[in-house]
């Protein structure tokens, strides 16, 4: 791998508002030399577009396509339990429940949709049985206890609930990790690595790569 | 016209020096070689123009800018891409380069399946390929003669070696020199690095099995561009893994990044896009092809193009379809098909064995970048004395070690901050080996034209009849066992194998159906890729293959094309053509 050192693109800092865009251009300039990088981004419609990325919320305020309002609310609560807000925003705040609904409507099959509805209903049913209230209205710890029972296939939950739940959880994880926040803050996102290195200390990245 | 740009042709009466049908890996090479030799060349391409850099709309688009995180909606896949969506590289960002199956129908014989992957546009499948590039060896060219399957190849390694040098230098292949008899070394740019677990597996496998090697995959990605490559606008690979979305860096080999710019700068390159070749125009008096009949991809209008020499580079099945559809009084069974073997001996590689396992340790190790290649175990059953007793020939293995990540995180147990933090940490290392098995050449595996079904251009549909034989099935079982034995020797745990029966086609290494040979009674083309029966007709894509070997075939298409162009140019200079 050759890495030529180069100067950052002329005017990069003033002309480019988004710091990541600047970062990317600098990475390109470092790898290729500034003139080559400039030529490349000028000639390529998509690279230019990619450089102008901005935050785009995963969940627009579109109406649910698969879930009822109750089911969507349960899923929102699940999102908050699976990936809560910490030093980075959580899945519920980023609208991942709506992304999952949209994904189920278009990218998954009818069986996956039925199973997803089934497991949300099962959680609600258990909540009513135990506390006489809907899952979303339970106290936080009671919600968590139910979810843990579900994953452990106990207290009214079996494999018929566990595996549909895992699928749903998988969609939540996918939805979160493919948001800009998930991909760039929880994970390490490196659009132009500049070459491949087969061995680096994990601690030098400190996180998992997005890919 | 400005030098550096191809001339786009619609209607013309000009007689070109050379017509090249198709603009994929093979056609791009034919265009470059002929243009550089000073011939006015017309590339006839059925699909749309795809311009380097301008027409890569999904390059570098992050997942949060794609509606479904990069996935393709099921209804779209089912409606337009029932076959193409079976390809591992099919996703939202590559969909635009795959064919629309509704527009590209074909038939299959009852009880058989063939998944025909197509990329019908300027650049063909060179925009999608995984760039794995390996030379065939004399063990491959001699296999048929030695074990009695199919017919002998009319060429040997020595015939192709200088042309492998030639195409590797230009295309830019990264790899390591290994000195193996079954996998000749080439003109390599520096190899990509193995990660630590891969190095450990290499050491363990090679000491436990002295006949086996674990090497880094040889790939058409630039690691140390030559001056010529830089001049053509190609730069060093950035390990982005954007190859199949379109690479504006030109770091991977494609028609767009490499052969077309080289051809265009001569001023000799003409391109007729949206020109579906219906058939070849054969003049019985002179016994020459005079040109091609074309149907417009969009308007369905007809037109003709003329040339002194025709190079068919429309992909294995594409070229054979054109030949079959060019039947005449003189050639009632398809142009140049006096032998009756046109359409026969269709083959593909068999990728139906995958083995996985977990690699303990290496917790503090990581890598940087998305390497455009994996590791590779060259075929170790490359001659009859090394065959297993219960089947013939062998397989190569592709593989790699990677750290799992969030992709399977949803299946982990747990909730809350701790679960979330876990997603942000790389998981354990895992290993995968997948087999790339030879398929034997069999007469009954064939294509012909369907008697009644046609496509929207009025061209008879191909009717494909191919199935895996006993040899292929036994080989995959054995490959899974052998993979596990190697993984076990390397301390890999929790081994699991899948031996599947996915239909032929999905390796996308379809070859055969217009094979080359010494004898016009048993082959369609000679050892120079020239039709035995029609001297100014050539075919240099996979249809001329006599056996599959285990190696990915495209590097050999390039070498055969460059060699045949050199031969044809000399024949033209000597006025024999
Ligand atoms: C996902 C994927 C991964 C692959 N990985 C590898 C790999 O790692 N290594 C390897 O060696 N190979 C690989 N391949 C296979 C490789 O892409 C093909 O072998 C190679 O592209 C074939 O070159 P070709 O020029 O013969 O055909 P193509 O590249 O398919 O080009 C044929 C061209 O002819 C045009 N055409 C067809 N019919 C007509 C007609 N009637 N009139 C006018 N034009 C026509 C088509 O539109 C197309 O542009 C891969 C393929 C795919 C899809």
């Amino acid at each position: 791998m050759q890495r030529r050192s180069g100067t950052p693109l002329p005017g990069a800092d003033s002309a480019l508002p988004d710091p990541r865009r600047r970062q990317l251009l600098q990475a390109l300039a470092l790898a290729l030399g500034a003139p080559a990088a400039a030529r490349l981004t000028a000639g390529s419609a998509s690279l230019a577009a990619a450089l102008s990325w901005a935050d785009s919320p995963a969940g627009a305020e579109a109406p649910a396509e698969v879930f009822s309002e109750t089911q969507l609310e349960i899923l929102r609560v699940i999102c908050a339990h699976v990936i809560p807000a910490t030093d980075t925003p959580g899945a519920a705040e980023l609208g991942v429940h709506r992304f999952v609904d949209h994904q189920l409507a278009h990218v998954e099959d009818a069986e996956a949709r039925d199973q997803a509805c089934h497991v949300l209903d099962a959680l609600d049913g258990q909540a009513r049985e135990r506390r006489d209230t809907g899952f979303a209205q339970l106290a936080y710890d009671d919600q968590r206890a139910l979810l843990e029972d579900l994953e452990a296939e106990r207290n009214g939950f079996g494999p018929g609930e566990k595996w549909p739940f895992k699928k749903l959880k998988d969609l939540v994880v996918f939805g979160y990790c493919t948001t800009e926040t998930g991909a760039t803050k929880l994970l390490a996102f490196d659009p132009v690595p500049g070459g491949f290195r087969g061995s680096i200390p994990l601690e030098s990245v400190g996180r998992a790569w997005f890919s | 016209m400005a030098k550096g740009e191809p001339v786009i042709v619609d209607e013309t009466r000009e007689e070109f020096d050379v017509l090249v049908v198709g603009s994929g890996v093979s056609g791009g090479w034919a265009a470059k070689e002929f243009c550089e030799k000073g011939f006015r060349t017309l590339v006839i391409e059925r699909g749309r123009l795809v311009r380097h850099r301008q027409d890569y709309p999904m390059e570098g688009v992050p997942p949060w800018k794609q509606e479904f995180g990069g996935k393709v909606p099921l209804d779209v896949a089912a409606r337009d891409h029932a076959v193409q969506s079976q390809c591992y590289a099919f996703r939202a960002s590559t969909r635009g380069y795959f064919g629309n199956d509704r527009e590209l129908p074909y038939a299959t014989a009852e009880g058989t399946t063939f998944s025909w992957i197509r990329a019908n546009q300027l650049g063909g499948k060179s925009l999608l390929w995984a760039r794995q590039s390996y030379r065939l060896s004399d063990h491959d060219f001699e296999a048929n003669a030695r074990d009695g399957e199919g017919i002998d190849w009319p060429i040997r390694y020595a015939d192709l070696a200088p042309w492998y040098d030639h195409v590797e230098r230009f295309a830019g292949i990264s790899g390591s020199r290994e000195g193996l008899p079954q996998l000749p070394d080439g003109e390599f740019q520096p190899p990509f690095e193995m990660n630590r677990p891969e190095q450990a597996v290499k050491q363990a496998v090679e000491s436990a099995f002295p006949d086996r090697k674990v090497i880094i995959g040889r790939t058409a990605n630039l690691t140390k561009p030559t001056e010529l490559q830089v001049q053509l606008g190609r730069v060093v690979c950035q390990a982005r893994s954007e190859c199949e979305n379109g690479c504006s860096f030109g770091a991977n080999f494609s028609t767009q990044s490499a052969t077309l710019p080289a051809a265009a700068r001569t001023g000799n390159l003409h391109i007729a896009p949206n020109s579906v070749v219906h058939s070849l125009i054969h003049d019985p008096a002179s016994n020459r092809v005079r040109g091609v009949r074309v149907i417009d991809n969009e308007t369905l209008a007809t037109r003709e193009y003329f040339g002194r020499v025709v190079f068919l580079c429309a992909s294995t099945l594409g070229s054979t379809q054109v030949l079959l559809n060019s039947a005449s009084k003189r050639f009632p069974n398809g142009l140049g098909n006096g032998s009756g073997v046109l359409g026969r001996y269709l083959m593909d590689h068999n990728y139906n064995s995958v083995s996985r396992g977990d690699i303990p340790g290496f917790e503090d190790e990581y890598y940087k970048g998305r390497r455009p290649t994996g590791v590779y175990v060259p075929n170790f059953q490359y001659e009859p004395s090394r065959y297993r007793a219960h089947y013939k020939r062998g397989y190569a293995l592709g593989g790699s070690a990677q750290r799992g990540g969030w992709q399977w995180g949803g299946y982990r147990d747990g909730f809350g901050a701790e679960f979330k933090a876990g997603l942000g940490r790389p998981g354990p290392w895992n290993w995968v080996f997948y087999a790339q098995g030879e398929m034997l050449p069999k007469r009954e595996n064939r294509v012909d034209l369907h008697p009644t079904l046609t496509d929207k251009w009025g061209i008879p549909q191909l009717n494909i009849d191919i199935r895996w034989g006993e040899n292929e099935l036994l080989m995959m079982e054995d490959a899974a066992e052998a993979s596990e034995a190697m993984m076990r020797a390397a301390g890999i745990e929790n081994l699991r194998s899948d031996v599947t029966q996915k239909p032929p086609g999905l390796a996308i290494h379809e070859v055969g159906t217009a094979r080359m040979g010494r004898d016009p009674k048993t082959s369609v083309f000679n050892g120079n890729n020239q039709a035995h029966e029609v001297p100014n007709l050539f075919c240099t894509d996979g249809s001329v293959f006599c056996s599959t070997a285990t190696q990915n075939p495209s590097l050999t298409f390039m070498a055969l094309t460059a060699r045949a162009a050199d031969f044809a140019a000399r024949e033209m200079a000597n006025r024999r053509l």
Side-chain angles (χ1 to χ4, degrees):
Chain A
M1 228 62 29
Q2 296 193 313
R3 291 181 117 261
R4 275 184 288 157
S5 61
T7 43
L9 282 180
D13 342 59
S14 55
L16 311 166
D18 186 327
R20 266 185 320 279
R21 183 177 175 198
R22 195 163 61 230
Q23 219 180 331
L24 181 51
L25 278 174
Q26 279 167 353
L28 281 179
L30 199 67
L32 309 175
R39 240 184 300 132
L40 203 60
T41 50
S44 166
S46 52
L47 269 190
L51 288 172
S52 66
W53 71 48
D55 274 291
S56 72
E61 286 308 298
E65 296 166 83
V66 172
F67 297 132
S68 67
E69 281 307 311
T70 308
Q71 288 168 332
L72 192 66
E73 179 57 15
I74 296 171
L75 184 56
R76 193 191 61 77
V77 171
I78 290 174
C79 282
H81 280 279
V82 173
I83 304 181
T86 50
D87 52 340
T88 53
E93 293 159 84
L94 294 181
V96 169
H97 50 297
R98 289 186 183 277
F99 173 87
V100 170
D101 176 81
H102 192 49
Q103 204 79 349
L104 276 165
H106 299 282
V107 178
E108 303 293 334
D109 60 16
E111 192 189 336
R113 286 190 282 276
D114 291 347
Q115 298 268 298
C117 292
H118 164 71
V119 75
L120 296 176
D121 292 346
L123 277 168
D124 218 33
Q126 277 295 322
R128 290 184 194 285
E129 210 161 284
R130 292 187 199 180
R131 294 267 189 265
D132 211 15
T133 177
F135 177 82
Q137 288 73 45
L138 284 181
Y140 181 86
D141 288 346
D142 291 339
Q143 291 170 341
R144 178 64 63 83
L146 267 184
L147 289 171
E148 281 168 356
D149 284 350
L150 203 176
E151 273 201 335
E153 299 178 43
R154 65 182 178 222
N155 299 335
F157 297 109
E161 287 75 43
K162 173 179 174 165
W163 294 109
F165 180 72
K166 290 289 189 190
K167 171 78 195 171
L168 205 55
K169 196 176 179 187
D170 189 48
L171 286 168
V172 170
V173 168
F174 179 81
Y176 185 80
C177 290
T178 54
T179 61
E180 183 171 12
T181 299
T184 66
K185 301 229 166 67
L186 179 63
L187 302 163
F189 192 78
D190 192 0
V192 188
F196 179 78
R197 284 162 60 198
S199 173
I200 61 167
L202 172 58
E203 62 185 28
S204 69
V205 193
R207 291 176 278 168
W209 296 117
F210 169 76
S211 67
Chain B
M1 113 224 38
K3 274 214 168 177
E5 292 293 321
V7 182
I8 305 303
V9 168
D10 183 15
E11 296 278 347
T12 174
R13 299 300 300 171
E14 174 172 354
E15 184 185 55
F16 288 90
D17 295 323
V18 184
L19 300 183
V20 176
V21 181
S23 62
V25 170
S26 315
W29 266 97
K32 165 181 135 49
E33 296 294 294
F34 280 115
C35 286
E36 288 181 344
K37 290 177 200 292
F39 294 100
R40 285 176 73 79
T41 304
L42 176 65
V43 173
I44 304 162
E45 167 53 53
R46 68 179 295 157
R48 68 189 167 105
L49 283 178
V50 173
R51 290 159 305 168
H52 187 42
R53 296 188 180 136
Q54 279 108 300
D55 294 332
Y56 302 152
M58 299 302 281
E59 180 184 12
V61 180
W64 57 90
K65 288 214 143 186
Q66 301 185 40
E67 185 176 3
F68 300 102
K71 306 208 170 177
V72 179
L74 280 190
D75 56 340
V76 173
R79 185 189 66 215
D80 294 342
H81 303 288
V83 177
Q84 310 305 306
S85 60
Q86 298 167 28
C87 177
Y88 74 90
F90 181 87
R91 49 185 182 261
S93 59
T94 57
R95 183 166 90 83
Y97 304 130
F98 281 94
N100 181 323
D101 288 308
R102 268 188 306 152
E103 299 209 323
L104 300 167
Y106 59 96
T108 48
E110 208 179 312
T112 71
T113 322
F114 180 83
S115 299
W116 188 8
I117 302 303
R118 275 150 311 160
N120 291 347
Q121 65 246 318
L122 191 69
K125 293 198 281 277
S126 79
L127 288 167
L128 289 171
W129 75 314
R131 309 158 309 281
Q132 292 292 299
S133 299
Y134 302 94
R135 295 184 177 203
L136 270 56
S137 77
D138 264 336
H139 293 291
D140 302 303
F141 290 113
E142 287 168 9
N144 284 359
R146 294 185 73 180
D147 65 19
E149 298 290 340
I151 54 163
D152 191 17
W153 283 80
I155 54 173
R156 288 294 179 265
Y157 180 66
D159 298 308
L160 268 195
W163 297 103
Y164 278 131
D165 290 349
H166 176 76
V167 298
E168 284 168 346
R169 256 184 238 125
F170 176 81
I173 310 294
S174 80
S176 57
R177 301 183 65 83
E178 302 284 347
L180 301 174
Q182 75 274 40
L183 196 76
D185 290 330
E187 298 277 318
F188 297 140
Q189 297 194 3
F192 282 93
E193 292 177 6
M194 286 189 191
N195 58 43
R196 283 283 152 79
E198 287 167 346
Q199 291 170 5
V201 169
K202 172 182 171 67
Q203 220 171 28
V205 168
E206 291 179 0
S207 66
F209 302 92
D211 63 335
R212 305 186 194 173
K213 282 274 174 202
V214 181
I215 69 174
I216 190 71
R218 297 172 178 175
T219 183
N221 290 74
L222 303 181
T223 51
K224 194 177 177 194
T226 62
E227 215 165 289
L228 174 61
Q229 285 156 349
V230 173
Q231 271 173 30
L232 291 173
R234 306 186 60 194
V235 294
V236 67
C237 176
Q238 302 295 303
R240 296 183 303 156
S241 198
E242 293 289 327
C243 304
E244 296 89 352
N245 302 336
C247 180
S248 287
F249 295 80
N252 62 347
F253 173 90
S254 68
T255 294
Q256 272 76 357
S257 72
T259 45
L260 278 202
R265 64 182 192 161
T266 65
N268 290 321
L269 178 64
H270 301 67
I271 300 176
N274 287 315
S275 299
V276 182
V277 171
H278 169 277
S279 52
L280 301 169
I281 303 166
H282 178 255
D283 171 30
S286 61
N287 189 32
R288 296 287 191 274
V289 281
R290 297 205 40 234
V292 300
R293 291 182 201 92
V294 160
I295 301 175
D296 193 276
N297 182 27
E298 286 163 353
T299 66
L300 305 187
T302 57
R303 56 182 174 266
E304 296 176 340
Y305 295 118
F306 299 98
R308 288 166 62 200
V309 165
V310 175
F311 262 57
L312 269 182
C313 300
S315 83
T316 292
L317 292 175
S319 290
T320 293
Q321 185 172 28
V322 170
L323 289 171
L324 286 168
N325 201 37
S326 304
S328 62
K329 221 171 180 181
R330 164 76 179 81
F331 292 108
N333 300 317
L335 187 58
N337 188 23
S339 65
V341 299
L342 182 63
R344 300 219 174 244
Y345 301 94
L346 174 61
M347 299 164 270
D348 189 22
H349 279 143
N350 192 350
Y351 276 41
N352 274 311
S353 159
V354 179
S355 303
R356 297 174 197 280
D358 304 327
I359 308 171
F362 301 98
E363 284 93 357
D364 300 330
E365 276 291 322
Y366 216 12
Y367 38 76
K368 178 173 165 58
R370 294 169 288 281
R371 190 180 57 192
T373 188
V375 302
Y376 186 78
V377 179
N379 180 13
F380 43 88
Q381 299 171 183
Y382 54 84
E383 54 188 347
S385 63
R386 293 167 192 267
Y387 291 176
R388 299 299 313 273
H390 60 303
Y391 67 91
K392 288 179 175 176
R393 308 217 184 163
Y395 50 88
L397 296 170
S400 64
Q402 284 191 322
R403 289 200 85 153
W406 60 271
Q407 287 85 350
W408 292 103
Y411 288 88
R412 292 182 205 150
D413 282 347
F415 298 92
E418 205 179 309
F419 177 83
K420 180 182 180 184
L423 292 177
R425 284 190 299 268
W429 289 85
N430 51 65
W431 184 267
V432 61
F433 258 151
Y434 58 90
Q436 308 177 229
E438 277 212 64
M439 180 180 194
L440 296 178
K442 293 290 180 195
R443 188 174 165 82
E444 60 272 20
N445 289 326
R446 61 172 304 198
V447 299
D448 59 7
L449 297 181
H450 196 276
T452 53
L453 297 174
T454 56
D455 60 24
K456 79 175 204 193
W457 301 276
I459 297 173
Q461 290 181 22
L462 277 187
N463 187 30
I464 305 175
D465 185 356
I466 183 173
R467 43 187 116 210
W468 302 120
E470 177 82 357
N471 202 70
E472 285 82 45
L473 302 179
L474 292 172
M475 186 189 292
M476 287 299 108
E477 298 283 348
D478 187 46
E481 277 172 37
S483 298
E484 290 200 3
M486 283 185 260
M487 291 158 72
R488 217 171 286 119
I492 297 172
E493 298 169 352
N494 192 16
L495 306 183
R496 51 219 185 259
S497 291
D498 279 318
V499 178
T500 50
Q501 297 227 13
K502 287 190 214 138
L506 290 174
I508 324 163
H509 294 165
E510 65 276 16
V511 291
T513 65
R515 69 186 178 189
M516 51 162 53
R518 295 186 193 89
D519 184 351
K521 288 203 275 309
T522 58
S523 56
V524 185
F525 292 93
N526 68 22
N528 289 313
N529 299 72
Q530 179 181 35
H532 286 298
E533 296 176 289
V534 185
N536 69 336
L537 174 62
F538 292 78
C539 177
T540 64
D541 56 35
S543 34
V544 302
F545 269 42
C546 298
S547 67
T548 62
T550 56
Q551 297 87 325
N552 311 55
S554 305
L555 185 74
T556 300
F557 303 169
M558 300 189 205
L560 283 173
T561 304
R563 177 171 171 271
D566 182 66
F567 171 80
R570 279 186 283 114
E571 292 292 285
M572 284 195 272
N574 295 333
R575 308 210 164 273
R576 282 195 292 269
L577 276 183

